[in-house]
Amino acid sequence: YDLTCQHIATYGGAARSNRIFVKAQHYTNEGGAVAVRNHALEQKTIKHLRRKWPGVFQDQRRKNEVIMKWLYRKPFLHEDVVKEFDGQKYKGWVDNFYAGGASWNSAEQAGDMDLWHIRYEDGDAEDLGLAELAAVLVPPEEG
């Protein structure tokens, strides 16, 4: 899934063939990923995918499986931010994402620009464009 998401994010789409159907025994075939696959690893992987691609993997029909819905993606959702106001730093997080600039407080479009709604710990909030967001995002922890 991660490779597919990276490809779509980079190139805007992915090819699909409806003429080829692979019937695989994902849970019972020997060797490969099945040899190391377990519930804890599957949940860790799903958590990683959901953090990296917010909104894309929203629902599960079966335990340890996800359904990919690219059109529901919300980039940077729940990421931490720190912004300085009048010499004081305030912590916050990306609270919502509005594709094409639809504002959180208005049904009207604000243009073609995507907006990210930021909620700060002190209760204040604001909408930022991508360049503004990039300047205040807290880099993810290495590990």
Side-chain angles (χ1 to χ4, degrees):
Y1 284 120
D2 190 35
L3 181 61
T4 301
C5 287
Q6 289 177 49
H7 189 85
I8 293 171
T10 302
Y11 300 106
R16 175 180 164 166
S17 173
N18 288 336
R19 294 187 179 267
I20 299 173
F21 182 78
V22 177
K23 185 176 180 183
Q25 302 294 323
H26 292 290
Y27 294 105
T28 58
N29 60 334
E30 294 183 23
V34 175
V36 295
R37 205 175 201 167
N38 60 46
H39 175 74
L41 180 59
E42 291 293 327
Q43 290 303 307
K44 181 179 177 182
T45 303
I46 290 169
K47 184 177 180 180
H48 170 77
L49 286 170
R50 286 185 169 154
R51 178 163 168 72
K52 186 172 181 181
W53 306 104
V56 175
F57 302 99
Q58 290 185 334
D59 55 5
Q60 292 176 235
R61 290 190 182 156
R62 294 182 207 116
K63 187 173 153 181
N64 294 331
E65 292 185 13
V66 293
I67 298 170
M68 184 177 155
K69 295 182 179 179
W70 183 258
L71 295 179
Y72 294 139
R73 93 186 143 90
K74 295 183 177 183
F76 305 112
L77 191 63
H78 306 298
E79 292 292 325
D80 293 325
V81 301
V82 174
K83 188 171 180 181
E84 192 172 308
F85 294 96
D86 297 324
Q88 186 173 351
K89 290 184 179 182
Y90 291 87
K91 293 180 181 180
W93 63 95
V94 179
D95 187 54
N96 213 334
F97 169 73
Y98 309 98
S103 177
W104 68 276
N105 61 0
S106 169
E108 297 179 21
Q109 293 294 103
D112 291 334
M113 185 174 79
D114 293 338
L115 293 175
W116 287 263
H117 186 65
I118 309 302
R119 173 109 20 225
Y120 294 98
E121 289 178 334
D122 67 354
D124 284 347
E126 68 177 333
D127 291 340
L128 300 178
L130 182 58
E132 297 167 304
L133 176 65
V136 299
L137 277 172
V138 174
E141 292 181 38
E142 305 249 342

